[in-house]
């Protein structure tokens, strides 16, 4: 089966295609490493390029996995609208995955520590996510200095991902913590394919649609 994965929350869209099922799914196209001449803001062109590279047709797609944010609001909504339309047109399921989970999987795989991820918002607020391999990802919205201490609880060692890594490392309330700077802003979209077995129980189809993660939906 051909799986399409799209990350909407990074600086630009990332599109990955994989073949197989679950743990055996492997990447056959990655827009981040492809040398094609196309507009990375235009998902239809990226998908057409990827399908051509793999010698596949759009009707070969049997599942779509999408990063639903939080991230840049217009880009996330554009990506999710594209995915929902494609899912409806092909009558295939969508698996929604938050950007915090994607980044958490990436950083946890490297450092084997719980992960704090952040995404900038307006008026000094941020989306703050806590990822631990043993628990579902938790996402809250607000001021980092207000949310983070309670979110961490008794967690003493963790890594940081996102826009506020340096701020978190230098916070007075974090002085007694051991913090590893992952040097990551976003998670690697390839993990949506390589870890797809983690998401398969989230399949949704019309009349249900993937929804962007925003302040209002948390």
């Amino acid at each position: 089966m051909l799986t399409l994965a799209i990350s909407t929350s990074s600086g630009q869209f990332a599109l990955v295609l994989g073949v197989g099922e679950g743990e055996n799914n492997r990447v056959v196209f990655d827009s981040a490493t492809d040398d094609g001449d196309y507009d990375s803001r235009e998902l239809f062109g990226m998908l057409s390029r990827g399908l051509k590279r793999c010698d596949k047709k759009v009707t070969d797609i049997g599942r779509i996995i999408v990063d639903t944010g939080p991230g840049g609001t217009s880009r996330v909504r554009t990506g999710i609208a594209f995915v929902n339309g494609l899912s409806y047109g092909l009558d295939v399921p969508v698996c929604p995955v938050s950007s915090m989970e994607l980044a958490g999987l990436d950083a946890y795989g490297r450092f084997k520590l719980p992960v704090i991820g952040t995404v900038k918002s307006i008026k000094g607020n941020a989306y703050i996510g806590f990822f631990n391999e043993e628990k579902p990802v938790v996402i809250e919205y607000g001021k980092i200095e207000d949310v983070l201490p309670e979110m961490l609880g008794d967690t003493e060692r963790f890594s940081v991902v996102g826009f506020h890594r340096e701020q978190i490392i230098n916070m007075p309330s974090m002085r007694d913590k051991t913090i590893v700077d992952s040097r990551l802003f976003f998670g690697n979209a390839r993990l949506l394919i390589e870890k797809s077995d983690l998401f398969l129980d989230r399949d949704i189809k019309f009349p249900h649609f993937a929804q962007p993660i925003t302040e209002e939906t948390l």
Side-chain angles (χ1 to χ4, degrees):
M1 183 178 67
L2 185 66
T3 300
L4 165 65
I6 294 176
S7 175
T8 70
S9 61
S10 59
Q12 59 188 24
F13 289 122
L15 185 148
V16 186
L17 292 168
V19 293
E21 183 75 25
E23 292 180 351
N24 297 316
N25 216 355
R26 59 183 178 84
V27 172
V28 293
F29 173 82
D30 183 351
S31 65
T33 58
D34 183 68
D35 59 0
D37 182 19
Y38 50 81
D39 187 345
S40 62
R41 297 169 297 180
E42 213 282 292
L43 280 168
F44 179 78
M46 295 173 72
L47 177 57
S48 298
R49 173 73 173 190
L51 291 170
K52 185 176 181 180
R53 286 281 200 184
C54 303
D55 193 26
K56 298 288 186 180
K57 300 175 292 187
V58 69
T59 50
D60 291 322
I61 297 171
R63 174 177 288 110
I64 305 172
I65 304 174
V66 63
D67 153 17
T68 56
T73 303
S74 61
R75 190 168 52 253
V76 170
R77 287 177 173 165
T78 297
I80 292 175
F82 177 84
V83 161
N84 283 333
L86 193 61
S87 167
Y88 178 76
L90 296 175
D91 191 28
V92 300
V94 175
C95 299
V97 180
S98 77
S99 62
M100 299 297 190
E101 183 173 9
L102 178 59
L105 283 167
D106 200 346
Y108 191 93
R110 300 178 190 219
F111 305 107
K112 298 298 184 286
L113 291 171
V115 183
I116 290 291
T118 64
V119 173
K120 287 193 299 185
S121 186
I122 60 174
K123 299 180 180 179
N125 292 310
Y127 296 93
I128 305 107
F130 181 68
F131 177 90
N132 189 330
E133 189 182 43
E134 300 173 356
K135 300 177 182 178
V137 66
V138 175
I139 305 174
E140 296 187 23
Y141 182 84
K143 307 288 185 186
I144 292 176
E145 58 271 24
D146 296 334
V147 172
L148 191 55
E150 184 173 348
M151 177 177 278
L152 283 169
D154 58 1
T155 302
E156 297 294 332
R157 302 176 69 246
F158 61 95
S159 67
V160 284
V161 176
F163 292 92
H164 306 88
R165 303 190 314 274
E166 186 174 345
Q167 176 185 335
I168 292 171
I169 290 169
N170 292 314
M171 284 173 58
S173 60
M174 299 291 110
R175 205 165 282 153
D176 296 330
K177 308 284 189 182
T178 300
I179 306 174
V180 175
D181 185 353
S182 71
R183 302 188 183 278
L184 298 173
F185 280 98
F186 309 101
N188 188 341
R190 294 176 66 92
L191 294 176
L192 295 173
I193 294 293
E194 294 170 350
K195 299 289 186 180
S196 61
D197 58 300
L198 300 177
F199 317 130
L200 300 187
D201 61 352
R202 306 178 192 181
D203 276 0
I204 54 175
K205 290 177 68 174
F206 178 81
H208 305 287
F209 293 103
Q211 299 287 338
I213 297 175
T214 65
E215 177 187 355
E216 289 78 20
T217 62
L218 289 178

